[in-house]
Amino acid sequence: MKRDPTRRSFLSGMAAGAALMPRTLSGLAAEPSFSTTLPPRPPAAPDETYWEQVRAQFSFREERVPMNSANLCPSPRAVADRVEELTRDIDRDCSFNNRAKFRGLTEESRGAVAAQLGVSADEIALVRNTSEANNTINNGVPLRPGDEVVIWDQNHPTNNVAWDVRAARFGITVRRVSVPRRPASPQALIDPFAAALTDRTRVLALTHVSNVSGIRLPVPELAEIAHRRGIHVHVDGAQSWGALDVDLRRLGCDSYSASAHKWFMGPKEAGVLYVKEDRIGEIWPNIVAPGWGNDADPDVAGARKFESLGQRDDACLAAIATGADFHAAIGAAAVDSRVTELATALKEGLAGLGMTLVTPQDPSLSGGVCIIEVPGDRGTALRRLYEEHGIAGAGTGGLRLCPHVYNTMDHIARAIDAVKALREVILG
């Protein structure tokens, strides 16, 4: 897809600026210098020097290190500046005439995301978050009373409880599948789902990487099994888009949802819904707003019918392309490898302290989410981790730490040292 010269000239202008000078806030140390350029292409074997350059794209202070990518990531300065610049542009001139350019910029974002995920632009809807995307599938897939939906019991509520709500309204059946707490192989994850599918199963709703355990499902194998029975496979990719090297053709699902504010490190309140081309026609949207058309048949192309949501944040939608450029500058394989490297080092360090891992140590069974058990005071441990050691984690499923490309090995060592210092609180 042809790139818009306005965005390219904007990024070129940022490159000329190189870096901003640090500033001092009252009571706080000087913020680090950070770059507003896109990161350079990594060498064949990127080392810590390269990843320090990537870290320099982000404006967070070393006093407060984010390690909760499963919930919210900072955006690189290039993305934040793009949102700010385009928001100012709209505020200076909010006329239809000026805003007409955003149609092209939104299509540029769509094309960039489609290329990143290995699918066509017509199969991509730019929605508001994973929750909205999940509910579009939940409410839109045609089901009749007596039909069955099989779900993973570790799904997010919008891909779990939401199916229960539909069941209560329309008489479908929901079956939950549990997997071994500590799976020894991908087959241990495949077998429970294969056993749960029946002749009445119409949907298999999965999560690529669990936010409550860090377990990574073997989606391609599960999709192949389900497709033999004509079952629609939906995958919540909130913990994989932007963290793993995701090719949706290889993944094999019929629909996929994710949020830009998590591992994609993009603008806030933006997300993606992929629907395979041959499934788009049968799925109904949740919302019909201006842009849909004048009758029941949508006057929009492909998956765009799922983003007929009324007035949107045009600057946010346009900045998704800048987020895709950031990932492309590093490369999906390099991002995936770095996330694995950081998560592996973190898990090994925590296990070495005697902590019990909830997340499998085997990278083929996990992603970037890392969780340890906390039999002690979880709230106190999280508060002190942040206030005393400057590491921002979460209490989901235990003590959850999720490093990303903006984290360094020094951050990993700091998190391990912090857990060691809080050992008595964590273990109780």
Side-chain angles (χ1 to χ4, degrees):
M1 179 175 289
K2 183 178 179 181
R3 293 288 183 163
D4 182 79
T6 303
R7 187 166 70 91
R8 287 301 177 195
S9 60
F10 174 76
L11 293 174
S12 298
M14 290 195 297
L20 301 180
M21 295 298 292
R23 58 189 172 88
T24 302
L25 301 178
S26 176
L28 294 175
E31 294 186 0
S33 296
F34 52 88
S35 172
T36 58
T37 65
L38 294 175
R41 175 72 63 177
D47 57 13
E48 284 305 299
T49 300
Y50 172 76
W51 295 113
E52 288 284 358
Q53 293 175 342
V54 173
R55 185 267 176 268
Q57 314 294 315
F58 298 82
S59 59
F60 65 84
R61 303 190 314 274
E62 284 297 298
E63 290 85 353
R64 294 290 182 261
V65 174
M67 207 172 286
N68 188 23
S69 305
N71 176 252
L72 183 67
C73 286
S75 295
R77 182 57 60 178
V79 172
D81 282 357
R82 183 61 168 158
V83 173
E84 182 180 358
E85 174 70 12
L86 291 175
T87 300
R88 285 200 304 266
D89 178 87
I90 294 168
D91 288 337
R92 282 192 298 266
D93 183 357
C94 63
S95 66
F96 283 120
N97 311 67
N98 183 49
R99 285 185 290 144
K101 63 176 174 284
F102 284 98
R103 287 194 293 272
L105 293 175
T106 297
E107 287 307 307
E108 184 176 337
S109 289
R110 188 190 320 281
V113 169
Q116 183 192 33
L117 294 172
V119 296
S120 74
D122 286 344
E123 294 173 302
I124 293 293
L126 300 176
V127 294
R128 290 178 288 204
N129 47 45
T130 314
S131 295
E132 182 170 76
N134 283 342
N135 274 277
T136 297
I137 298 302
N138 170 276
N139 287 303
V141 171
L143 295 172
R144 299 177 179 177
D147 285 347
E148 185 176 79
V149 176
V150 173
I151 66 175
W152 190 16
D153 62 4
Q154 293 188 30
N155 284 354
H156 187 271
T158 60
N159 196 26
N160 190 322
V161 177
W163 289 107
D164 292 331
V165 173
R166 183 166 183 183
R169 292 176 65 194
F170 299 113
I172 65 172
T173 300
V174 177
R175 297 187 65 187
R176 281 170 166 74
V177 172
S178 298
V179 299
R181 189 177 180 191
R182 290 181 174 81
S185 67
Q187 195 62 45
L189 299 170
I190 294 170
D191 290 343
F193 287 101
L197 304 179
T198 72
D199 291 340
R200 294 192 298 115
T201 307
R202 299 292 176 264
V203 178
L204 175 61
L206 305 170
T207 298
H208 200 177
V209 177
S210 169
N211 71 312
V212 297
S213 71
I215 291 175
R216 175 180 178 175
L217 290 180
V219 172
E221 293 82 356
L222 291 170
E224 182 180 357
I225 292 169
H227 286 156
R228 290 178 202 151
R229 293 174 172 266
I231 296 169
H232 182 106
V233 179
H234 175 63
V235 175
D236 181 325
Q239 308 304 333
S240 60
W241 185 39
L244 305 180
D245 187 358
V246 176
D247 183 314
L248 292 176
R249 299 288 187 231
R250 290 200 305 262
L251 206 63
C253 57
D254 299 290
S255 53
Y256 178 93
S257 59
S259 293
H261 66 265
K262 296 183 188 289
W263 301 86
F264 183 72
M265 303 176 290
K268 313 303 182 285
E269 200 170 324
V272 63
L273 171 63
Y274 155 78
V275 182
K276 192 175 180 181
E277 183 179 12
D278 61 2
R279 296 284 188 173
I280 293 172
E282 68 187 33
I283 299 175
W284 291 93
N286 284 344
I287 298 173
V288 174
W292 168 270
N294 295 318
D295 55 38
D297 293 323
D299 189 23
V300 291
R304 292 169 185 81
K305 75 178 188 179
F306 303 118
E307 59 183 57
S308 178
L309 305 171
Q311 183 63 52
R312 303 288 302 277
D313 184 344
D314 291 326
C316 168
L317 292 171
I320 293 172
T322 310
D325 280 349
F326 186 89
H327 281 269
I330 302 173
V335 170
D336 189 325
S337 178
R338 178 59 172 178
V339 169
T340 299
E341 180 184 23
L342 292 169
T344 298
L346 180 59
K347 287 184 283 189
E348 289 177 352
L350 295 174
L353 296 177
M355 298 293 142
T356 300
L357 287 166
V358 176
T359 307
Q361 284 191 270
D362 183 348
S364 70
L365 299 174
S366 59
V369 177
C370 176
I371 304 173
I372 60 172
E373 291 184 359
V374 182
D377 188 339
R378 187 181 304 180
T380 298
L382 282 168
R383 177 181 57 79
R384 291 182 59 184
L385 185 74
Y386 178 74
E387 294 179 357
E388 298 174 15
H389 301 276
I391 300 292
T396 307
L399 173 58
R400 188 180 72 187
L401 297 170
C402 305
H404 206 351
V405 293
Y406 46 72
N407 291 122
T408 64
M409 280 299 178
D410 284 344
H411 294 157
I412 298 298
R414 183 166 150 191
I416 293 168
D417 287 344
V419 171
K420 181 178 180 180
L422 299 172
R423 180 185 176 91
E424 291 185 4
V425 177
I426 292 171
L427 297 180

